[in-house]
Amino acid sequence: MDSSRTISADVDPFEALAGVVSEGVVRIGAQRRLLSCNDAAARILGYDAARMIGVTIDDLLHESNTGDPLAEASTVTFRDTLGSAIPVQTRCRGDIVAFSPQRVDQIEQLKNELVSTVSHELKTPLAAIKAYTATLREHPDIYVSHREEFLAVVEEQADRLSRVVDDMLLITRVDTDHLLRRRMVVRVMQLVDQALLSISYNPALHPIVCLTGDAAISGDPDRLRDVFRNLLENAIKYSPGGGRIVVRAEQDEKYTTVEVEDSGVGIAPEHLPYIFDRFYRAESSAAPEVTGSGLGLYIVSAVMRAHGGTIEARSRPGAGSTFILRFPQR
Ligand code: ADP
């Protein structure tokens, strides 16, 4: 070690200290705006450090937060760039707030969520596939139309399995680089057509009306298809009694706005703020048998962010839901 090294007087002691600790550290100025922030704070919340300067600490809070980050000690829920809740312990002295994530809890929680999703979402279709193939093997002389029906179920369940696996793989790389690998201009109508090819549904029960004209979106065509597949799949499955699904799109010089509207069971107001969170499922008494992984809308909102766009949901229980996507023009 070079013992002749001296501490430079130019180094701001706050910056120096904040740069070496693993906790998130921010300095708060007037109107609760961030004056500085260390790399750990940016990393914990998934932001670029430079982009955090000037935002208010309240802008970084998750809807579910109940703590005050400027209290001497508190438990606060921040939101990361994808809108997910990040629970942290905060301590505040003067204008400095330090926080560390509840890492172990979070990892434990993610593990539990994954285990319950895997056990349910993967085991259910697997059990159906096993049961139907066993029946087909045991009864080779089964009536031909039944055989076709059974094979259709096996195929449908295998598709369902493959979609859950795709979704799970996608959530491990929900960063911009992976969600916007290439950019193309794609017509909304084409995205709807392609998404519908990968969904099994009965058009007599769920007629889909596409009022999109020539509106187009600039983005990664594979991920945009994921967005439409998830929204249309939800519109269908959360309308168990059937009903029209309308896709509208409008394009002006600034945005392409797309609405996906259903007349299904709707979402209760207490669930609405959380539906874009990873693994969040709002159990609905109107559709208790509907299954899902709680990953679809999380992926949709991550894709929207990667494209610089937004997604919003409007819904009333019993009166259906509308999801509004807004893509900036490129
Ligand atoms: P899931 O796999 O459970 O469908 P999503 O992430 O796609 O997961 O959706 C999260 C939750 O939001 C769902 O569990 C459901 O309660 C609610 N939801 C999403 N879309 C709709 C819709 N079109 N109508 C009613 N509820 C919806």
Side-chain angles (χ1 to χ4, degrees):
M1 202 176 139
D2 180 4
S3 56
S4 65
R5 247 186 94 185
T6 51
I7 307 290
S8 160
D10 304 338
V11 176
D12 174 345
F14 167 79
E15 301 292 345
L17 187 61
V20 295
V21 295
S22 57
E23 282 197 296
V25 182
V26 296
R27 185 187 253 163
I28 309 291
Q31 288 145 7
R32 295 161 73 96
R33 288 187 189 281
L34 268 63
L35 295 177
S36 50
C37 125
N38 69 348
D39 288 343
R43 200 172 48 247
I44 292 165
L45 301 181
Y47 286 86
D48 181 43
R51 286 181 54 195
M52 289 174 70
I53 308 300
V55 303
T56 73
I57 189 129
D58 306 296
D59 289 334
L60 300 173
L61 299 175
H62 191 257
E63 296 93 341
S64 62
N65 173 61
T66 51
D68 177 6
L70 300 193
E72 200 166 303
S74 183
T75 303
V76 166
T77 310
F78 285 120
R79 75 197 287 276
D80 69 9
T81 42
L82 298 171
S84 298
I86 308 285
V88 297
Q89 309 285 356
T90 54
R91 277 168 296 117
C92 177
R93 296 289 180 279
D95 56 355
I96 307 288
V97 179
F99 55 92
S100 49
Q102 299 169 333
R103 277 253 164 253
V104 179
D105 289 359
Q106 268 181 282
I107 291 167
E108 193 58 28
Q109 188 191 345
L110 178 60
K111 205 177 77 193
N112 291 341
E113 288 167 337
L114 257 176
V115 168
S116 68
T117 304
V118 167
S119 54
H120 192 256
E121 277 304 292
L122 301 185
K123 279 177 105 176
T124 313
L126 272 176
I129 291 172
K130 258 189 104 139
Y132 280 89
T133 45
T135 312
L136 284 171
R137 194 157 26 85
E138 283 158 24
H139 303 282
D141 50 352
I142 195 168
Y143 190 56
V144 71
S145 72
H146 286 169
R147 194 165 62 218
E148 289 305 314
E149 197 183 309
F150 281 23
L151 286 171
V153 174
V154 169
E155 199 171 10
E156 195 180 301
Q157 295 300 320
D159 286 346
R160 179 174 158 196
L161 263 182
S162 122
R163 280 200 299 270
V164 177
V165 172
D166 284 349
D167 282 354
M168 285 187 169
L169 291 176
L170 208 55
I171 64 158
T172 62
R173 16 170 224 170
V174 282
D175 56 82
T176 309
D177 288 352
H178 281 98
L179 298 183
L180 187 45
R181 277 185 184 282
R182 58 195 178 119
R183 203 180 258 285
M184 275 172 64
V185 174
V186 200
R187 282 176 32 178
V188 176
M189 192 184 292
Q190 196 184 339
L191 290 166
V192 172
D193 278 343
Q194 290 172 347
L196 290 175
L197 285 178
S198 60
I199 305 175
S200 61
Y201 74 106
N202 174 355
L205 194 60
H206 294 110
I208 306 210
V209 180
C210 197
L211 307 174
T212 58
D214 282 334
I217 301 166
S218 156
D220 184 320
D222 298 325
R223 299 293 79 85
L224 293 175
R225 214 174 303 126
D226 289 336
V227 166
F228 283 88
R229 171 177 60 78
N230 274 301
L231 292 181
L232 289 165
E233 208 167 38
N234 281 349
I236 291 164
K237 76 180 181 179
Y238 293 106
S239 307
R244 214 163 76 117
I245 291 154
V246 185
V247 185
R248 287 188 200 84
E250 272 179 15
Q251 183 168 6
D252 61 24
E253 61 284 0
K254 278 192 162 165
Y255 300 103
T256 298
T257 308
V258 187
E259 288 185 11
V260 179
E261 179 192 292
D262 65 60
S263 53
V265 297
I267 305 163
E270 64 269 27
H271 291 302
L272 208 49
Y274 309 112
I275 57 171
F276 298 105
D277 288 358
R278 188 176 55 200
F279 294 118
Y280 191 85
R281 299 210 65 234
E283 298 295 339
S284 163
S285 53
E289 72 292 351
V290 176
T291 61
S293 61
L295 292 176
L297 290 183
Y298 174 73
I299 290 170
V300 169
S301 70
V303 173
M304 291 308 293
R305 275 166 205 271
H307 284 73
T310 57
I311 179 162
E312 193 188 316
R314 295 193 192 137
S315 184
R316 265 190 309 126
S321 311
T322 304
F323 287 82
I324 302 143
L325 308 169
R326 211 149 185 247
F327 294 88
Q329 303 298 6
R330 293 277 162 169

